[in-house]
Amino acid sequence: AFQECEKLLSMVIPNSVNSIGYNMCYGCISLETANIGSGITEFLGSAFEGCTALKSARFSRGAVVMGENMFKDCTALESVYLPSSITAISKGAFYNCTSLYDIEIPANVMSIGESAFFACKSIGTLTIPEGITVIEKFTFYQCENLTEITLLDGLNKIDSFAFSYCIKLNNFEMPESITFLGNNAFSYCRSLSSINLPVGITAIENNTFTECNSLVSVTIDGDITEIGEYAFAFCYKLSSFDYYE
């Protein structure tokens, strides 16, 4: 629709519009603000990808699904308002939005795709809604300023590299519902000081906590049957490893 309209500065999509195609504003490098009307319920891929001047985006109630790579490489994006109607944040939706700090994931969101917040280096805190059962691969990879994340009961799986290189993450409690941690799930989380692994976890995969330099204590509540290669490698401060059957 508006691909590479390089002089476009702002956009208001009225409520009467109910459908837009792929790459709607792809490469609109001067676009700074976008207000999306309530007529559109699903956004197709790369709607605002590469809009490097975009600072804020606001969705009216009605939007349900954010398409893949929707705001990918919007490096100036600081603030996004997502209405309660949103139920899915697709793969790569905020990939490399390095300036994004003001966002709240609505309570009705049931899925967050792989690499959705990859390299969102300015986000400080987040709460993951209770409807989320899986944190996909690379979802929060390299969120360097993420200090606190709240995970609610119902979450079953944290996949590979999900929080890798979240170097300031220090306030983290793993829900009792967790049964699987993927390889490198928390590798290079250099501010983590303690971990309590709930009873449902039976294996610690390769490199899960490698180079967590501040990790002092690990408590295991379940029946661990396997500890993978380099699972706790280079955790130089680790002094307590307690296992309770």
Side-chain angles (χ1 to χ4, degrees), residues 25-110:
C25 290
Y26 181 94
C28 293
I29 59 174
S30 299
L31 185 66
E32 295 184 356
T33 61
N35 290 285
I36 315 299
S38 60
I40 301 172
T41 58
E42 182 175 0
F43 291 84
L44 301 181
S46 301
F48 295 96
E49 182 177 344
C51 294
T52 53
L54 186 67
K55 294 181 179 179
S56 66
R58 185 177 183 88
F59 295 82
S60 299
R61 182 172 176 82
V64 176
V65 178
M66 297 183 63
E68 290 189 5
N69 301 320
M70 186 164 182
F71 292 100
K72 183 179 179 180
D73 293 330
C74 291
T75 51
L77 186 65
E78 297 176 345
S79 175
V80 175
Y81 171 75
L82 301 178
S84 59
S85 55
I86 292 283
T87 61
I89 298 174
S90 297
K91 178 180 178 180
F94 296 99
Y95 188 104
N96 199 38
C97 291
T98 54
S99 299
L100 181 64
Y101 70 90
D102 184 9
I103 187 170
E104 183 176 335
I105 300 174
N108 290 326
V109 169
M110 303 296 288

Side-chain angles (χ1 to χ4, degrees), residues 33-244:
T33 61
N35 290 285
I36 315 299
S38 60
I40 301 172
T41 58
E42 182 175 0
F43 291 84
L44 301 181
S46 301
F48 295 96
E49 182 177 344
C51 294
T52 53
L54 186 67
K55 294 181 179 179
S56 66
R58 185 177 183 88
F59 295 82
S60 299
R61 182 172 176 82
V64 176
V65 178
M66 297 183 63
E68 290 189 5
N69 301 320
M70 186 164 182
F71 292 100
K72 183 179 179 180
D73 293 330
C74 291
T75 51
L77 186 65
E78 297 176 345
S79 175
V80 175
Y81 171 75
L82 301 178
S84 59
S85 55
I86 292 283
T87 61
I89 298 174
S90 297
K91 178 180 178 180
F94 296 99
Y95 188 104
N96 199 38
C97 291
T98 54
S99 299
L100 181 64
Y101 70 90
D102 184 9
I103 187 170
E104 183 176 335
I105 300 174
N108 290 326
V109 169
M110 303 296 288
S111 67
I112 300 175
E114 183 178 319
S115 302
F117 293 92
F118 187 106
C120 289
K121 298 181 179 183
S122 299
I123 293 177
T125 62
L126 274 177
T127 296
I128 304 301
E130 61 183 353
I132 300 293
T133 59
V134 178
I135 303 292
E136 302 283 0
K137 295 178 181 178
F138 294 97
T139 299
F140 298 102
Y141 182 90
Q142 210 175 57
C143 290
E144 294 180 346
N145 275 297
L146 185 66
T147 59
E148 179 179 352
I149 191 159
T150 302
L151 304 176
L152 303 178
D153 247 1
L155 182 66
N156 300 321
K157 178 180 180 180
I158 299 176
D159 215 335
S160 303
F161 294 93
F163 293 99
S164 185
Y165 283 97
C166 291
I167 58 176
K168 293 185 180 179
L169 183 63
N170 57 33
N171 196 341
F172 173 78
E173 186 172 337
M174 208 169 292
E176 290 297 316
S177 54
I178 290 283
T179 58
F180 178 82
L181 299 178
N183 70 79
N184 286 281
F186 294 93
S187 59
Y188 302 94
C189 289
R190 291 172 174 150
S191 297
L192 275 181
S193 59
S194 64
I195 286 291
N196 188 340
L197 299 179
V199 66
I201 293 178
T202 58
I204 302 173
E205 302 288 330
N206 296 347
N207 301 294
T208 301
F209 296 100
T210 193
E211 289 214 29
C212 291
N213 308 111
S214 299
L215 189 63
V216 174
S217 66
V218 176
T219 302
I220 299 174
D221 291 334
D223 294 324
I224 295 291
T225 59
E226 179 184 351
I227 298 178
E229 294 181 358
Y230 301 101
F232 296 94
F234 313 112
C235 294
Y236 300 117
K237 295 183 180 180
L238 184 62
S239 59
S240 175
F241 192 89
D242 296 319
Y243 175 68
Y244 300 100

